[in-house]
Every structure is written in C-alpha cells, then in structure tokens.
Amino acid sequence: MKNRLLILIPILSMFASCTDDITGLNTDTKRPTMTDATYLFTNAEHALVDQVTSTSVNVNVFRLYAQQWTEVQYPQESQYDFSRNIPDTHWNVYYRDVLRDFKEAKNLLTQLKADANAEEAAIIDNKIAVIDILSAYAYNTLVDTFGDIPYTQALDISGNPLPKYDDAQTIYRDLLSKLDAASDALDTNVGSFDDADLIYGGNTGKWAKFANSLRLRMAINMHDVDATYASAQVLAAEADGLMTSSADGTYMTYAETQPNANPLYVDLVASGRNDFLPADTFVNKMNALGDPRRPKYFTLYDDGTYKGGVYGALNTYGSFSHLTETIKKPTYPGVLFTYSEVEFLLAEAAARGIAVSGSAASHYNAAITASMQDWGVASADIVAYLGRPDVAYATAAPTWQQKIGEQAWISYFNRGFEAWTSYRRLDYPVLAAPAITFNNLKEVPKSYPYPVKEQTINATNVQAAIAKSGGTNIGITKVFWDKK
C-alpha cells in the first residue's frame, strides 16, 4: 500500500500544478505563424535581385535574347524554346517570392504604425516607401515581359483567386504615380531598413534617386505611345533628382558562400558546367569598334583575337573566347540600375525632343564614359574611343536610334533584360533570329508567352488578354510601348 502511495503522489502533484489553460499546447514553436516585416523585405529584395542576375536557362534567358551570350551544346533557349516553363518561373518568382512578401511586409508595417510614436512612424513610412518602389520595379518588369498582367486583383488569393488582367498602359501610369508618391514620401532625415536593406543599406536619398530613375526609364518606354504624357513624366523625374554618379547605382553585393553567392557563380562555376559563351553578334560589333571593354568582358582566344560563339547554334566551348573571371566571382554584385543607363536614357530623351538639361551628345558621351569607368577602362582609352568616327555622336550612324541603341546594348553587357528592352524600344542593334528556331519564330521574341500553369488555372482571363493583344501567345506579341 505504501509503495502505491509513493507512485500516486507525484502524479497527483503534476495535475495539481497544471492550470485550466492548455491552449499553449497547440502552438508549434518551431513553425511560427507570424514574422517580422524586415525578414519579409530582405527575402523579397534578395529574390528580386537573384531573378535579375541569374543566367540559369530555367530562370532567366534575357542575355540570350539580347544576343550578348549564346549557348554551347544545348542551344534551345537561344532558339526560343519555351518548353522549360521559363515564363512560369519568371512569373512565380515575381508574384510569389517578391511581390507577395512585399505586400505582407507592408501590411505588418501598417499595423505597427498604428501604435508607433512620431519618430517610429517616420521610419515606418520610409520602409513602406522603399517597398512601394521595389514593388513598382517588379510590376514594371512583369509588364515589360508579358504585357497585360494581373494588377488590381493580384496577390489576393482569398478574394480574387482568378485575378483579371489589367491593361498594361494603365498599369504603367499607376506605377509612375506610385513611384512619384514614394519618392516624395521618403524622409532623408530618418532611417528605414538599415542593414536589412541589401542594396542601399537604408539610404533613403539613394532610394529616391532610384525611384526617379525608374520613372525616367518607364516614361522613355512610353514615349512612342503618348509623347505628351511621357515627356512630362521625364521632366518631372529629372526635376525630382536622378542618379548623378556610379555611386548611386542599384547594386547588391553577394556573399562568398552559397546559398548567398551570386547566381552567376552558381551557374558558371559551382555547377561545373561550361554552357555559355559570348555571342558572335556581340563580340563582332565590339571588334569592329575596337572597344576597350573587350578584355573586361571576354578572354582572348588562342589565336590572340576575341571570338564569339555562333549565336543560336551548337558550339564547342574550347573553340571561342570565354566570359572573364570578373563576373564569375561569388561576391560580384547583382544590379538593377546604373548611372550609365540614366545617361543613355537622358540622351534618348534629348534626341526625342524632350527639354531635359544637356544635349543628346553630352549625355551619350557621359553614358559611355560611365560604363567604361565602371569596368576599369583607362581614361586615355575612353577619350580615344569617343573620338572614333564610328562612335562619335556627330558621325557614328545616320539615326539617333542606331547611335544610342548600339552603344547602350554594348554598355548593358551582363544586363540582359535591360539590353533586350532597349533593343525592343529602339530596334537597334539589328538582331536576326538564328537559322533554326522553335515554334518557327522568324524574329527575336518581343515578349514571353503567358505561363502554362496560368493558362490552365486562370484560362478565361488569360485568353481574354491574349485576344486583346492579337490572338497569339508564342513570344512575338509586342508589349504596348513597342510600336515601331
């Protein structure tokens, strides 16, 4: 009997010490249901730059479409094969990994602001403005890739699981308004995300310059569609303050080790594969101009020349120049925007007759100079290059579209999406489809087809968008601003 009591007493003590509230037992401490807005922001920012930077054929093929790079033994993507569901990945990254996280981070910050003091509220307002700027960048990229996309009903799985597709030009106008508002809202006297901001380290002044520079790019894109509106947007962006030096560029430096190393390092080095070469289209143009950036971009071939692989064809890796080690470093920065691009856009604005400060020639020269300085070209070589008759703005080519288009294309090396966008807007350089293509395409793709999964799940809205744009979905449909 005594032994039984000794066993029973601890059991009774355990029950006596318990409370009536056992709800805590339902909480999984290893899988939290709430998070911090900062974590969501950093994750989305990183995912955004990864998508822009990657050269994986499953993720980002824009360097191939711009014919800056080509492939070796598997040239399908250079031949416009979409069967890897590349559009699906691009779509998913932007909507799921970038925009959805930005939206949730903004919601959490808005809730925090309700109980914040004045100083805390000012910091929260800056954080929200930065989120709005990067969200605008993401939506802008989606429009420039696909055309009409979900916007007003996007990111609302419970309210709008099958979102409608909004008119691309209408989205552009709304994004420009949001960028303007976000730029104005930034208070440079207080911080924002600080070290959690992997691009500018919380520097709100630089975020404002990025926002205004993005407004400039979008307005230039629109100029052939609505010159009056676009011109006003260009002048407003310039007045509000653009990037003024390479120090203002939108760069994210990666870590030495995976999974936070530059995706180029992962694709070109860690993979152990040799899948990419500089394209002959690109190398031949630089050879013709004696461009001093060649040793920064490419290695010499065995015969002492720069030799690009045949674009869109089967190539042997050892028979051509290669990409230099510079961009293969794990810490090499990913980039969303450069000062050089701002100067090319201002040159284009002046050539279009928009009353920006400075001439088309002065901005053209500044753009090339900034690009070469970024790549470490010597000052004397820059001066000599600008003095060549086939480079100088006054004599280089018969039209401003060709002058600016060809030089911007060269300067946007390793920035495939911007190079592809500039080509579509200006129709220079002249790029031809390879001899063999998928879907019998006879030209460089002008957009992505809509994702396969989206066509299946949201078929009604996708088909309406396809019909509105001309009834095709194979990559030849031009986005709204690509009118010439």
Side-chain angles (χ1 to χ4, degrees):
M1 181 67 177
K2 182 178 179 180
N3 289 338
R4 291 180 182 178
L5 287 173
L6 290 173
I7 295 172
L8 186 60
I9 288 171
I11 297 174
L12 293 173
S13 299
M14 179 183 70
F15 281 104
S17 64
C18 292
T19 67
D20 292 336
D21 185 4
I22 61 171
T23 56
L25 297 176
N26 295 322
T27 302
D28 186 344
T29 57
K30 296 183 179 181
R31 296 182 180 180
T33 57
M34 294 294 292
T35 187
D36 190 291
T38 301
Y39 303 150
L40 291 168
F41 170 81
T42 302
N43 185 69
E45 187 180 47
H46 200 291
L48 174 61
V49 180
D50 279 356
Q51 177 62 18
V52 172
T53 305
S54 175
T55 190
S56 166
V57 292
N58 298 306
V59 175
N60 182 339
V61 295
F62 297 118
R63 293 174 182 84
L64 303 176
Y65 288 178
Q67 299 190 15
Q68 295 177 328
W69 295 20
T70 192
E71 293 168 289
V72 183
Q73 67 268 45
Y74 305 112
Q76 294 95 318
E77 288 73 32
S78 301
Q79 299 168 346
Y80 317 139
D81 179 12
F82 297 108
S83 65
R84 287 182 183 271
N85 291 336
I86 298 164
D88 294 68
T89 301
H90 193 65
W91 184 278
N92 289 341
V93 168
Y94 277 101
Y95 275 114
R96 180 194 62 207
D97 302 337
V98 176
L99 288 165
R100 191 65 186 84
D101 276 7
F102 280 147
K103 180 180 180 180
E104 188 59 29
K106 184 175 178 178
N107 289 342
L108 292 172
L109 289 168
T110 302
Q111 294 170 22
L112 287 175
K113 186 179 175 182
D115 298 319
N117 59 39
E119 182 179 354
E120 292 169 340
I123 294 173
I124 289 172
D125 284 340
N126 273 350
K127 290 180 177 180
I128 289 174
V130 171
I131 288 173
D132 286 344
I133 291 166
L134 282 173
S135 295
Y137 177 93
Y139 273 119
N140 173 213
T141 301
L142 286 166
V143 169
D144 290 349
T145 306
F146 294 98
D148 292 359
I149 57 168
Y151 182 64
T152 55
Q153 294 183 357
L155 312 177
D156 181 14
I157 190 65
S158 58
N160 294 292
L162 302 176
K164 70 175 184 178
Y165 282 53
D166 292 277
D167 175 72
Q169 186 171 352
T170 303
I171 297 172
Y172 244 62
R173 286 174 175 265
D174 191 61
L175 293 176
L176 282 163
S177 295
K178 288 181 176 178
L179 285 167
D180 184 13
S183 174
D184 289 344
L186 287 168
D187 183 349
T188 57
N189 295 315
V190 297
S192 60
F193 285 103
D194 300 327
D195 291 344
D197 173 8
L198 304 176
I199 293 175
Y200 284 132
N203 187 318
T204 52
K206 290 189 176 183
W207 276 117
K209 289 183 178 181
F210 170 69
N212 296 328
S213 299
L214 181 56
R215 290 165 63 194
L216 171 66
R217 179 202 283 172
M218 294 177 66
I220 291 295
N221 279 348
M222 290 187 68
H223 194 263
D224 286 337
V225 177
D226 189 340
T228 301
Y229 173 79
S231 297
Q233 290 294 319
V234 167
L235 295 175
E238 183 186 34
D240 286 345
L242 305 169
M243 295 178 185
T244 56
S245 74
S246 292
D248 294 329
T250 317
Y251 300 97
M252 188 183 87
T253 300
Y254 284 92
E256 283 280 357
T257 56
Q258 298 186 61
N260 293 314
N262 189 308
L264 291 177
Y265 167 79
V266 177
D267 296 331
L268 302 177
V269 180
S271 68
R273 300 175 62 90
N274 295 314
D275 288 334
F276 300 99
L277 293 165
D280 58 350
T281 322
F282 194 69
V283 176
N284 292 347
K285 181 62 179 178
M286 294 186 75
N287 283 340
L289 296 173
D291 196 302
R293 285 166 290 192
R294 286 176 296 170
K296 311 294 183 179
Y297 291 0
F298 327 120
T299 63
L300 284 168
Y301 181 53
D302 294 344
D303 62 2
T305 65
Y306 296 102
K307 183 180 178 183
V310 179
Y311 180 73
L314 189 68
N315 292 290
T316 301
Y317 186 75
S319 299
F320 302 96
S321 294
H322 301 150
L323 303 165
T324 60
E325 294 302 310
T326 301
I327 66 170
K328 297 178 184 179
K329 295 178 180 177
T331 57
Y332 188 73
V335 56
L336 301 185
F337 222 115
T338 65
Y339 167 60
S340 174
E341 182 180 358
V342 169
E343 288 291 351
F344 274 119
L345 292 167
L346 287 171
E348 190 173 333
R352 290 175 179 273
I354 304 173
V356 294
S357 60
S359 66
S362 66
H363 287 299
Y364 171 87
N365 288 339
I368 296 171
T369 299
S371 171
M372 291 195 170
Q373 289 175 339
D374 288 346
W375 285 94
V377 175
S379 297
D381 291 336
I382 298 174
V383 172
Y385 185 77
L386 291 173
R388 290 177 58 107
D390 50 2
V391 172
Y393 191 82
T395 56
T399 67
W400 64 262
Q401 289 93 338
Q402 185 174 353
K403 300 176 207 284
I404 296 173
E406 291 182 348
Q407 286 297 328
W409 178 60
I410 294 171
S411 292
Y412 296 160
F413 174 70
N414 194 39
R415 299 185 62 212
F417 187 80
E418 289 73 22
W420 181 55
T421 298
S422 178
Y423 156 74
R424 289 181 293 162
R425 185 177 65 246
L426 295 175
D427 296 316
Y428 284 100
V430 175
L431 301 178
I436 299 173
T437 62
F438 285 74
N439 299 311
N440 199 32
L441 290 180
K442 302 300 183 185
E443 58 184 295
V444 177
K446 299 301 188 293
S447 62
Y448 269 4
Y450 287 114
V452 173
K453 185 175 290 185
E454 187 71 4
Q455 293 180 58
T456 303
I457 297 173
N458 196 11
T460 299
N461 288 315
V462 172
Q463 290 305 315
I466 293 172
K468 177 175 173 286
S469 65
T472 61
N473 191 41
I474 57 172
I476 62 173
T477 302
K478 293 183 177 182
V479 296
F480 81 96
W481 48 256
D482 185 7
K483 293 298 183 184
K484 294 185 179 180

